[in-house]
Amino acid sequence: MGAWLAVAIGGALGAMTRFGISTYWLPVVPGRIPWSTLLVNVVGSLLIGILYVIIVDKGLWSQQWRVLLMTGFMGALTTFSTFSIESVSLLQRQQFGLAGVYVVVSVVACILASFLAIWLTHKILSMY
């Protein structure tokens, strides 16, 4: 499978997953913390940490998986651009406290999720 096709397939699956979460599971409600965006960004940060160790750091899967999963799927699933526009929207509605909490929790939780995923995946893989 070529790199472009891998990105396209991964991106389609990631976008559909993101759409399903934000439409059916945790719909965004104006004036409230966009939980679906927060969830996909934290889970995406966790997953990309695991994938990074497996594909990049340890080389257990081929680079084709990196393109499909990390570039395509994760690129479409995680929604930093959506996070940004939702943060601006909260600020424009003068919901400064809510915007601040959303930004801080999103950034800290995603960084911690990636750190935890890398650390934990290294621990698990060192057992084999």
Side-chain angles (χ1 to χ4, degrees):
M1 174 183 335
W4 286 96
L5 182 57
V7 170
I9 291 169
L13 294 172
M16 290 187 304
T17 301
R18 167 72 173 97
F19 178 76
I21 290 170
S22 65
T23 303
Y24 301 108
W25 193 37
L26 287 172
V28 174
V29 178
R32 296 200 176 160
I33 289 181
W35 291 108
S36 60
T37 303
L38 178 59
L39 176 69
V40 296
N41 284 337
V42 172
V43 170
S45 295
L46 183 73
L47 290 175
I48 206 160
I50 293 167
L51 292 170
Y52 176 83
V53 171
I54 292 170
I55 299 169
V56 178
D57 198 34
K58 298 290 184 182
L60 299 176
W61 295 351
S62 72
Q63 288 300 307
Q64 194 165 5
W65 284 108
R66 179 181 186 174
V67 173
L68 178 91
L69 295 174
M70 293 178 74
T71 303
F73 184 82
M74 300 308 301
L77 174 68
T78 57
T79 54
F80 203 76
S81 58
T82 303
F83 158 76
S84 299
I85 200 68
E86 288 170 344
S87 298
V88 168
S89 179
L90 289 170
L91 291 170
Q92 287 175 332
R93 288 195 302 268
Q94 298 183 356
Q95 294 177 295
F96 303 113
L98 195 57
V101 167
Y102 180 56
V103 168
V104 170
V105 169
S106 294
V107 172
V108 170
C110 289
I111 290 170
L112 288 175
S114 288
F115 177 79
L116 176 65
I118 289 169
W119 177 81
L120 190 57
T121 306
H122 273 293
K123 291 289 184 193
I124 292 169
L125 291 178
S126 70
M127 295 188 304
Y128 298 101

